[in-house]
Amino acid sequence: MIVNEENRPAEEKLTAGQAFVKSIRPAGCALFLILAVLVAAVCLTAGRDPIPGYTPPERASYENDLSQLVTVLETQVFPKLPEYTMAARLTGDTVTVTIDDAHFVVGRSAILRYFPEDLITFERG
């Protein structure tokens, strides 16, 4: 503890964080936490629907017949996503979707929004 000339303890300097918390008071801290939670909620729930209004068929309708899934992708999904160059083919026990390199991540995410990942593999094309 630092003692000044009059034998009284001198005030210690506050760090930047301590000064900030002291200046905004408890109500400011609560407001700051509420805003942080709201920002996190918006960031985690935001996302546009790649094909507005599209409802995929039930999984049971194509799970045992993957050629049906290829048909659904080629006739119902790919035409509604013309900005991505995509193609689907049956490869063994999965459907392989080829997406152009420039749109691979976005195209993959659009497909996975409607169809299960365990039935589809993706490759860059």
Side-chain angles (χ1 to χ4, degrees):
M1 179 163 44
I2 301 172
V3 179
N4 63 10
E5 296 172 0
E6 299 173 4
N7 291 333
R8 286 182 292 171
E11 278 190 38
E12 294 183 26
K13 297 249 182 198
L14 297 177
T15 64
Q18 290 170 330
F20 176 73
V21 170
K22 186 175 180 180
S23 67
I24 65 170
R25 313 241 186 240
C29 288
L31 179 63
F32 184 77
L33 289 174
I34 290 170
L35 288 174
V37 169
L38 289 175
V39 166
V42 167
C43 289
L44 292 174
T45 60
R48 69 177 187 93
D49 194 7
I51 307 172
Y54 177 71
T55 303
E58 293 293 323
R59 180 181 171 127
S61 69
Y62 57 79
E63 185 172 29
N64 295 322
D65 183 15
L66 293 179
S67 62
Q68 178 66 24
L69 178 57
V70 171
T71 304
V72 167
L73 288 170
E74 290 178 342
T75 60
Q76 297 178 15
V77 177
F78 296 164
K80 293 184 180 183
L81 298 170
E83 62 271 18
Y84 314 124
T85 305
M86 294 190 258
R89 69 181 186 279
L90 189 59
T91 52
D93 59 346
T94 63
V95 172
T96 300
V97 175
T98 305
I99 306 170
D100 65 293
D101 288 338
H103 301 105
F104 182 78
V105 174
V106 179
R108 181 179 184 275
S109 134
I111 299 295
L112 290 178
R113 187 171 188 108
Y114 301 108
F115 298 97
E117 188 173 9
D118 62 325
L119 298 177
I120 301 174
T121 56
F122 295 91
E123 64 182 31
R124 296 177 185 266

